[in-house]
Amino acid sequence: MRPLTKVALVLVALLGICQTLLIAAYFWPVAAVDTWLLDHWSISRILMLTLTSLVFIVFVAMLLVALFRRSIHQELVMTGDRGSLAISRQAVESAVAKAVAKEHAVKGVSVDVTMHKKEAAKVMVEAISMSGQSLAAQGQRIEETARAKVVQLLGTEVKKVKVHLMPVSQAPRGTARVL
């Protein structure tokens, strides 16, 4: 999650919590309002307090997600003695996809990389296998290739590499050509 998104989410959550507390204070029993509500709105008052409680819980959950979810970056910035280097997520994804397609009998390679401040945390590779080999063995080799390529590009360890291979017989067919 980007820092600006986090700030916006925190502000929305705080406003929602304040709004919920104000509505709860309005519906909390006050002598004059309570007698009128008991005559006309006894069931509605309970319903409104219940719904307000649910909204409050949703906004508290939003606040917790905004505060404690780890930030995901679009580029990884590495600083050295000669300066800093920014590597974009798309560049890493493209390089890994090309390496996998070059070294293995696969087509339709799709790579998704999740990067945090100083590391590439997760790599997801999806492809269609063109060979008759075991998908598990081929997936293991693709995982090693993807991991090695990310380490070569970034110089940091990868926490998790997930490979999803589909045999060519189960691959979705391309759209039909219309003449």
Side-chain angles (χ1 to χ4, degrees):
M1 188 179 302
R2 296 182 185 142
L4 187 60
T5 306
K6 269 188 158 182
V7 169
L9 194 56
V10 167
L11 289 176
V12 167
L14 288 174
L15 287 173
I17 290 170
C18 290
Q19 177 263 346
T20 303
L21 291 174
L22 287 173
I23 289 175
Y26 177 77
F27 285 110
W28 196 257
V30 177
V33 176
D34 192 33
T35 54
W36 184 82
L37 286 176
L38 285 175
D39 291 340
H40 303 302
W41 280 28
S42 60
I43 295 173
S44 297
R45 191 175 113 221
I46 293 170
L47 180 66
M48 290 299 285
L49 284 172
T50 304
L51 292 176
T52 301
S53 300
L54 291 174
V55 169
F56 179 76
I57 291 169
V58 166
F59 280 111
V60 167
M62 284 175 58
L63 179 63
L64 293 175
V65 166
L67 292 177
F68 296 115
R69 182 165 175 177
R70 196 169 177 185
S71 295
I72 295 174
H73 297 277
Q74 294 298 318
E75 58 184 30
L76 187 64
V77 178
M78 296 196 273
T79 306
D81 56 344
R82 293 182 170 178
S84 62
L85 172 67
I87 301 174
S88 73
R89 181 177 61 88
Q90 291 83 9
V92 174
E93 290 172 350
S94 175
V96 172
K98 287 177 183 175
V100 169
K102 180 181 177 185
E103 294 184 26
H104 303 282
V106 292
K107 70 175 186 176
V109 180
S110 168
V111 178
D112 185 35
V113 177
T114 304
M115 297 189 322
H116 298 291
K117 276 188 180 179
K118 298 190 186 270
E119 62 193 22
K122 297 179 200 170
V123 177
M124 173 69 176
V125 180
E126 293 181 0
I128 299 170
S129 175
M130 300 299 289
S131 70
Q133 299 174 351
S134 164
L135 290 180
Q138 189 177 17
Q140 184 67 29
R141 288 192 304 275
I142 289 174
E143 179 181 337
E144 291 168 4
T145 301
R147 186 179 300 275
K149 189 64 177 179
V150 171
V151 169
Q152 176 193 2
L153 287 172
L154 303 178
T156 61
E157 287 299 317
V158 179
K159 286 186 179 177
K160 183 177 181 181
V161 176
K162 189 174 181 181
V163 177
H164 178 73
L165 275 179
M166 188 180 312
V168 72
S169 61
Q170 293 179 356
R173 300 284 179 211
T175 57
R177 287 193 211 176
V178 178
L179 298 176

